[in-house]
Amino acid sequence: MEPGNSTRISQFLLLGFSEDPELQPLIFGLFLSMYLVTVLGNLLIIIATISDSQLHTPMYFFLSNLSFVDICLVSTIIPKMLVNIQTQSKAITYAGCITQMCFFWLFVELDGFLLAVMAYDRFVAICHPLRYTVIVNPQLCGLLVLVCWILSVLHALLQSLMLLRLSFCTHLEIPHFFCELNQVVQLACSDIFLNDLVAYFALVLVAVCPFTGILYSYFKIVSSILAISSARGKYKAFSTCASHISVVSLFYSTGFGVYLSSVATHSSHSSSTASVMYTVVTPMLNPFLYSLRNKDVRRALKNLFGGKI
């Protein structure tokens, strides 16, 4: 393969899931349905949180931010994929690919940071209930969300700048349904050692650190719940974080599943299929996990629709 200067690249080709023309309408309909359900479900969570004064609490403030990020995440990936299927094109411009990766990393990292912040919120609520309103005040909530955005933006920009330094070969086919960082880096003809080094360092910062914070928070939460004498008290305390545990489990299990499947099989097709779980399925299921298991959200949605649901 002949190396080419990155400034001369006009586009990449997204191979997607299948080149079979008969499967394209099915894939289009499936992803369009999931996209609409994701946007509608998360939008309802945001509207319910804003419209119901009883949901103006730190937990639901973080939840509405999580729903907004999930909408942005799927909107970064799915619309372009649907347009390519509809137009029977696989092309994405070089600038479009870099931009998509930048926003993808931004919103994925925000998901992880917000889940860690929500775990801290539950930790304070259960372990320090009498001081909860003092510790988790509106100023702290705003500051935590701001820090999440700053860290995510800085890392997304760093990854994008690292890609801009690479030169690419003439083979520009990405065996994925979006511009996934590892797949794009593998197409480079120049040395990618520095990119790999930055990627591994960033993985510790934006994935391992939030996950460690979540594990620590729930270790303290479980310890506090076990110290409660009554079974009813234990159930009430656990129920306040049940939805968050479900979302965290889904997000990290699917994320680790993508990583393990790519390492174990070395198959780009397996990796792209597994990526659907945390890029599309998880944001789609989050509103259902919170609305179906949370009576406050269900009540707010009923009030929003005049008791029709």
Side-chain angles (χ1 to χ4, degrees):
M1 291 184 296
E2 298 178 0
N5 193 303
S6 61
T7 58
R8 298 177 184 174
I9 296 175
S10 59
Q11 64 181 21
F12 292 96
L13 297 178
L14 297 172
L15 300 185
F17 295 99
S18 173
E19 298 184 10
D20 187 350
E22 296 182 358
L23 290 178
Q24 298 307 306
L26 177 62
I27 296 174
F28 180 88
L30 178 62
F31 277 85
L32 177 61
S33 300
M34 290 193 293
Y35 177 69
L36 294 177
V37 170
T38 302
V39 172
L40 179 60
N42 284 285
L43 191 59
L44 285 175
I45 294 292
I46 296 173
I47 295 174
T49 303
I50 294 174
S51 62
D52 194 313
S53 59
Q54 295 186 38
L55 298 184
H56 292 175
T57 62
M59 182 176 71
Y60 295 108
F61 170 72
F62 296 134
L63 175 59
S64 61
N65 276 273
L66 181 67
S67 294
F68 172 75
V69 170
D70 282 342
I71 291 175
C72 294
L73 175 60
V74 294
S75 297
T76 300
I77 299 171
I78 303 303
K80 176 58 179 174
M81 174 187 175
L82 296 177
V83 169
N84 279 10
I85 294 176
Q86 189 66 21
T87 59
Q88 298 182 354
S89 170
K90 300 177 183 179
I92 182 171
T93 64
Y94 175 76
C97 189
I98 299 296
T99 302
Q100 188 183 65
M101 278 189 291
C102 180
F103 281 102
F104 171 76
W105 276 104
L106 167 63
F107 297 125
V108 166
E109 290 154 15
L110 272 170
D111 255 351
F113 282 130
L114 286 173
L115 289 175
V117 168
M118 293 170 76
Y120 171 75
D121 172 75
R122 293 299 84 203
F123 158 71
V124 177
I126 294 175
C127 299
H128 306 283
L130 299 180
R131 300 177 57 200
Y132 176 73
T133 55
V134 176
I135 298 175
V136 190
N137 53 61
Q139 292 76 20
L140 179 64
C141 293
L143 179 62
L144 289 173
V145 172
L146 179 62
V147 170
C148 290
W149 274 93
I150 291 174
L151 291 176
S152 300
V153 167
L154 289 177
H155 176 250
L157 289 176
L158 174 62
Q159 293 288 9
S160 300
L161 291 174
M162 292 299 296
L163 282 170
L164 291 175
R165 61 179 287 275
L166 296 178
S167 298
F168 290 91
C169 303
T170 54
H171 181 73
L172 300 176
E173 293 181 344
I174 302 173
H176 218 290
F177 65 98
F178 68 96
C179 286
E180 200 272 332
L181 178 65
N182 291 332
Q183 299 288 347
V184 175
V185 170
Q186 295 304 316
L187 299 178
C189 292
S190 52
D191 182 26
I192 62 173
F193 173 77
L194 186 59
N195 291 72
D196 289 338
L197 185 65
V198 171
Y200 288 127
F201 174 78
L203 180 65
V204 174
L205 174 65
V206 304
V208 177
C209 287
F211 185 63
T212 303
I214 292 172
L215 291 179
Y216 176 77
S217 295
Y218 275 105
F219 172 77
K220 302 296 288 186
I221 288 172
V222 171
S223 300
S224 296
I225 292 177
L226 292 177
I228 300 175
S229 57
S230 67
R232 183 177 181 180
K234 291 180 179 179
Y235 174 78
K236 184 177 180 181
F238 178 77
S239 63
T240 62
C241 53
S243 297
H244 181 258
I245 292 175
S246 301
V247 172
V248 168
S249 301
L250 185 62
F251 179 78
Y252 280 100
S253 63
T254 54
F256 287 138
V258 170
Y259 175 77
L260 292 176
S261 67
S262 62
V263 171
T265 65
H266 299 283
S267 170
S268 57
H269 179 72
S270 299
S271 177
S272 61
T273 303
S275 296
V276 176
M277 292 301 297
Y278 80 96
T279 58
V280 184
V281 175
T282 299
M284 180 181 67
L285 293 181
N286 284 354
F288 295 98
L289 292 173
Y290 272 101
S291 61
L292 293 178
R293 304 188 64 172
N294 191 303
K295 63 180 182 180
D296 293 329
V297 176
R298 292 200 305 268
R299 175 189 49 77
L301 291 174
K302 288 181 179 179
N303 294 336
L304 184 64
F305 290 96
K308 296 181 180 180
I309 60 174

